[in-house]
Amino acid sequence: MQQHHSVRLLIADDYKTGRAVLSLHLTNCGYHVEQAGDGHEALELALSGRFDLLLLDIEMPGLNGLEVLAKVRERFTQTELPVIMISARDESPDVVAAFAGGANDYVTKPIDLAVTEARIRAQSLLRFAAGHEVVEVPDLSGRGTGEVLTEVIDLQPGTILGPYRLKGILGKGAMGEVYRAMNQALDRPVALKILQANFDENPEVLARFRREAKLAARIDHPNVVGIYEVGKWQGRYFLAMQLVEGESLASRLDREGKLAPEAALRVVKETALGLAAAHAHGVIHRDIKPSNILLTEEAVKLVDFGLARPSDPRDGRLTQENRLLGTPEFMSPEQFAEKELAPPSDIYSLGVTWYMLLAGRAPFEDESTLLELAMAHLNKTPIDVREYSPEVSQATADLLARMLAKEPGDRPPDGTALLAELERL
């Protein structure tokens, strides 16, 4: 009986940022991706036999891509292990050398993510048609190419999950659905986050889910949504959280476009209070954005620590850290560069959010591809926010510019330090 598995890709490229962005895109398309930064590492991984397709940059230190290709073809045929070559130069000698050496296809930089994914998919389907091991090739028909492919299973109102009775769905995300529910034993309304059924056997996702509960439960603060319990009932994992009545900051932005400077400052201050509490407990959120900030009559609340991780890398670190996690429009430069994260990463993401509140647009909204967006966060200085909102004070614009600094050391070091500066505005 043939064994099914997701398509396993190796991306070998010494350009770390481009490699990481392509890896993020393909991971979100449903592929399993590993990376190599030089020719020797690429060859060792390629010959391991655990990949279905290779993407090899021609120009790499150690061994170049053509040399790696030659060694790979000594062991694997074009059908057994398809290879797509990558080059910054679309010149005929490179193309001829690549195909003469046994490449299956060829792409040039700057990489078009959608075209590259389509070529990977085509090679994977050809491999399947040739009678090799059956692979589950992601079906992107009718979907956005950057969307995580997951099956959403709606649970009906009235469904009983342990002590909880579901009342209705509140929202859906990459990890699962969130329901309004009632703890019948305590007569307490809760928000119940339920892991999607098709993720139940995924060790990495389950580790993230359990870690979200463990980390968020450390924080008892009015500006952070509280966690009550985590459990499993009849095969479904769940997280019971404080039910917050209100709307997300994203919804308010959709309705109003932008906020007055005073209103924006209040939101940022209260979010900073929540971040200060998280950072004091050694927690980095890693996904600060308007949809994770809830507005109520009493307070602004920070929610969703699904991407959070301890600031001490020894404390619960996952084993698979070779891909980017986060929302690209709000990610810090160090997230794109895959560097070790610290609280200034959250400060940057909150800075992007504050910029949106004041300007009515993101700092880098004109970039049309994920690679362009990554390069902007890494290298480009945003337009002064006062160009979009002249009533913003000089002191506010200066602090916002520091929050959006490319180097973490040039930003306020954590939520507590940021809060002190916000109080002086």
Side-chain angles (χ1 to χ4, degrees), residues 97-324:
F99 285 112
N104 296 68
D105 206 343
Y106 189 94
V107 295
T108 57
K109 295 178 180 179
I111 287 176
D112 184 308
L113 297 177
V115 169
T116 301
E117 196 284 325
R119 292 184 173 183
I120 291 170
R121 178 175 170 78
Q123 291 297 331
S124 300
L125 290 172
L126 287 172
R127 186 175 186 273
F128 164 70
H132 290 273
E133 188 176 11
V134 180
V135 293
E136 295 177 354
V137 181
D139 181 8
L140 298 179
S141 58
R143 302 176 186 255
T145 56
E147 181 180 348
V148 178
L149 304 181
T150 56
E151 177 188 0
V152 176
I153 302 177
D154 289 330
L155 298 176
Q156 298 303 311
T159 300
I160 301 297
L161 234 120
Y164 303 100
R165 178 183 292 274
L166 302 188
K167 298 292 187 181
I169 193 161
L170 292 172
K172 300 175 183 179
M175 288 182 66
E177 309 98 41
V178 181
Y179 292 84
R180 181 186 298 271
M182 179 66 72
N183 184 319
Q184 299 181 107
L186 300 177
D187 195 28
R188 178 170 65 185
V190 300
L192 207 64
K193 184 173 184 177
I194 303 174
L195 199 64
Q196 292 182 11
N198 60 324
F199 278 159
D200 279 359
E201 301 305 321
N202 186 318
E204 182 182 357
V205 172
L206 288 180
R208 272 180 58 196
F209 182 72
R210 292 189 180 111
R211 185 183 62 190
E212 174 180 353
K214 180 181 178 181
L215 295 180
R218 296 179 183 177
I219 308 164
D220 182 12
H221 192 275
N223 296 105
V224 176
V225 171
I227 301 296
Y228 297 138
E229 76 166 308
V230 62
K232 185 178 182 181
W233 183 259
Q234 296 184 351
R236 301 300 298 268
Y237 288 86
F238 66 84
L239 183 68
M241 304 177 288
Q242 176 188 7
L243 179 64
V244 177
E245 301 290 356
E247 68 173 339
S248 73
L249 181 58
S251 296
R252 184 170 175 184
L253 278 176
D254 286 343
R255 188 177 68 251
E256 299 184 12
K258 62 180 183 178
L259 303 185
E262 297 79 9
L265 180 59
R266 172 185 171 262
V267 170
V268 173
K269 275 185 179 179
E270 295 203 32
T271 305
L273 280 166
L275 269 184
H279 294 162
H281 284 80
V283 177
I284 304 166
H285 189 283
R286 298 212 306 172
D287 200 25
I288 302 296
K289 58 185 178 181
S291 59
N292 281 339
I293 297 172
L294 304 183
L295 309 176
T296 73
E297 292 183 0
E298 297 80 22
V300 173
K301 290 182 176 284
L302 185 57
V303 71
D304 201 347
F305 283 77
L307 295 182
R309 118 174 178 204
S311 54
D312 182 348
R314 298 167 297 179
D315 183 8
R317 184 174 185 176
L318 296 181
T319 57
Q320 289 186 316
E321 291 290 348
N322 66 334
R323 72 184 191 191
L324 300 176

Side-chain angles (χ1 to χ4, degrees), residues 8-12 23 32-36 45 50-51 322:
R8 300 162 300 194
L9 307 177
L10 173 64
I11 301 174
S23 175
H32 176 83
V33 182
E34 293 186 39
Q35 302 176 35
L45 290 170
R50 67 174 188 265
F51 295 99
N322 66 334

Side-chain angles (χ1 to χ4, degrees), residues 3 118 168 330 378 423:
Q3 177 70 31
F330 300 90
L378 285 161
E423 293 291 352

